[in-house]
Amino acid sequence: MDVLGVLNLGEIAQYFSKMAMFPVFDLAYYIVSILYLKYEPGAVEVSRRSPVASWLCAMLYCFGSYILADIMLGDSPIDYFHNNSHILLATAVWYLIFFCPLNLFYKCVAFLPVKLVLVALKEVVRTRKIAAGVHHAHHAYHHGYFVMVITGYVKGSGVALMSNFEQLLRGVWRPESNEILNMSFPTKASLYGAILFTLQEAHWLPVSKATLICLFTLFMATSKVFMTARHSHGSPFALVESWVCHLLFGSPLGGPEDSHDHHHSAPAAASPAKTREELNEGTRKRKAKKAE
């Protein structure tokens, strides 16, 4: 009991939930977001051929969640762009990642130990955005629980839900990559997080918002760091989702991803799996060597 009194976990959670995100956490968010943009096939070529299109894509990666949430709530989609300091910071990150001499900045932030720290910091921002989205929707639609969930979900998912539009800016059309059809772990976690924060906002969850922010941030940061370190695209929810979908919707246990892995088990055993980002980066480097 004395230890708990010394730690004072409630005050720690309260302090953490009110910690300013700008500039340190927001900087990490912009770096990781634009780093993933550079991993996309053709992104570097677009930055050389059309810097304006590349910059617009980078802004969507950084602020796409705000734009989409504002559209849904009837606000101006360019409202967030009045935050000059955020726009300038994201623009500086975009320029350094794509145009820094000798790719020095990119090499530094892509170095795995540094990247793991940045990924953890990004998840702090993601959780805050989910909580802020639910709170904003609660004020606009006091009993609109579905609106709260959707707004929090959109705020947390970022550009993922606008990926097809962002791809069009780069001259790419891949409708099969729609995030709704193939939800990644951050997108699923944002949905589940939005549900939790909505339950808390409606006073159906017996926990303070500060504590929920702290616990959910810890879960997100730990999961993403672990997955990034292992170059994994798995999900902590996979087993539970598989059983729930099997019981409610008759889906086969394991889902399509497991059956796909089963059919390709021999090549997977021969060499370790690579993430989409690593594959895209390898493709980009091979194209650059051919050009030389």
Side-chain angles (χ1 to χ4, degrees):
M1 194 70 180
D2 293 335
V3 175
L4 292 177
V6 172
L7 290 176
N8 208 341
L9 298 180
E11 284 191 10
I12 293 175
Q14 192 70 25
Y15 173 78
F16 179 78
S17 67
K18 295 186 179 302
M19 190 184 302
M21 295 292 100
F22 187 84
V24 177
F25 293 92
D26 284 328
L27 176 62
Y29 186 91
Y30 301 153
I31 289 174
V32 176
S33 297
I34 299 176
L35 191 63
Y36 287 155
L37 170 61
K38 189 169 184 176
Y39 289 150
E40 289 295 322
V44 174
E45 290 77 4
V46 170
S47 68
R48 301 296 190 272
R49 186 173 68 251
S50 177
V52 173
S54 178
W55 179 82
L56 286 173
C57 290
M59 295 304 103
L60 281 179
Y61 263 74
C62 295
F63 309 116
S65 58
Y66 297 103
I67 295 171
L68 193 54
D70 284 342
I71 293 173
M72 290 174 52
L73 294 175
D75 297 325
S76 171
I78 62 171
D79 184 63
Y80 195 82
F81 283 81
H82 79 276
N83 295 306
N84 297 323
S85 54
H86 288 264
I87 302 301
L88 290 174
L89 182 61
T91 299
V93 171
W94 163 75
Y95 185 86
L96 288 172
I97 286 181
F98 279 94
F99 303 105
C100 181
L102 303 178
N103 247 355
L104 288 178
F105 186 78
Y106 167 77
K107 291 175 181 177
C108 289
V109 297
F111 181 52
L112 186 58
V114 176
K115 185 179 178 181
L116 293 179
V117 174
L118 295 173
V119 165
L121 296 179
K122 179 181 178 180
E123 295 311 310
V124 177
V125 179
R126 188 195 304 276
T127 302
R128 288 290 193 87
K129 289 168 69 176
I130 296 172
V134 171
H135 184 72
H136 185 188
H138 175 70
H139 277 278
Y141 302 92
H142 193 66
H143 296 291
Y145 302 120
F146 286 103
V147 178
M148 296 181 206
V149 171
I150 294 171
T151 306
Y153 170 53
V154 167
K155 278 286 187 79
S157 299
V159 74
L161 298 177
M162 301 176 68
S163 58
N164 293 116
F165 177 72
E166 181 274 328
Q167 289 165 6
L168 283 177
L169 291 177
R170 294 188 282 111
V172 178
W173 175 242
R174 291 187 299 168
E176 72 280 358
S177 66
N178 189 303
E179 188 69 19
I180 300 295
L181 295 175
N182 304 287
M183 294 175 69
S184 60
F185 165 70
T187 306
K188 291 180 180 179
S190 296
L191 176 59
Y192 301 148
I195 294 172
L196 290 175
F197 280 104
T198 299
L199 293 175
Q200 192 283 325
E201 198 75 47
H203 304 291
W204 293 342
L205 195 64
V207 63
S208 69
K209 180 181 288 188
T211 302
L212 184 58
I213 288 175
C214 192
L215 293 176
F216 193 75
T217 300
L218 184 62
F219 166 74
M220 289 296 296
T222 304
S223 300
K224 280 296 291 180
V225 167
F226 181 76
M227 292 167 65
T228 303
R230 295 194 60 190
H231 304 290
S232 170
H233 271 188
S235 169
F237 310 125
L239 183 61
V240 175
E241 288 174 344
S242 175
W243 279 99
V244 170
C245 290
H246 177 68
L247 291 173
L248 296 181
F249 308 113
S251 303
L253 286 176
E257 290 184 1
D258 286 356
S259 61
H260 180 273
D261 291 341
H262 176 73
H263 291 312
H264 295 80
S265 56
S271 60
K274 292 186 177 182
T275 63
R276 184 186 68 173
E277 290 84 7
E278 290 175 324
L279 293 172
N280 292 341
E281 181 67 4
T283 303
R284 187 181 64 79
K285 288 179 179 179
R286 285 195 295 272
K287 288 182 178 178
K289 287 181 180 179
K290 289 180 180 178
E292 293 173 356

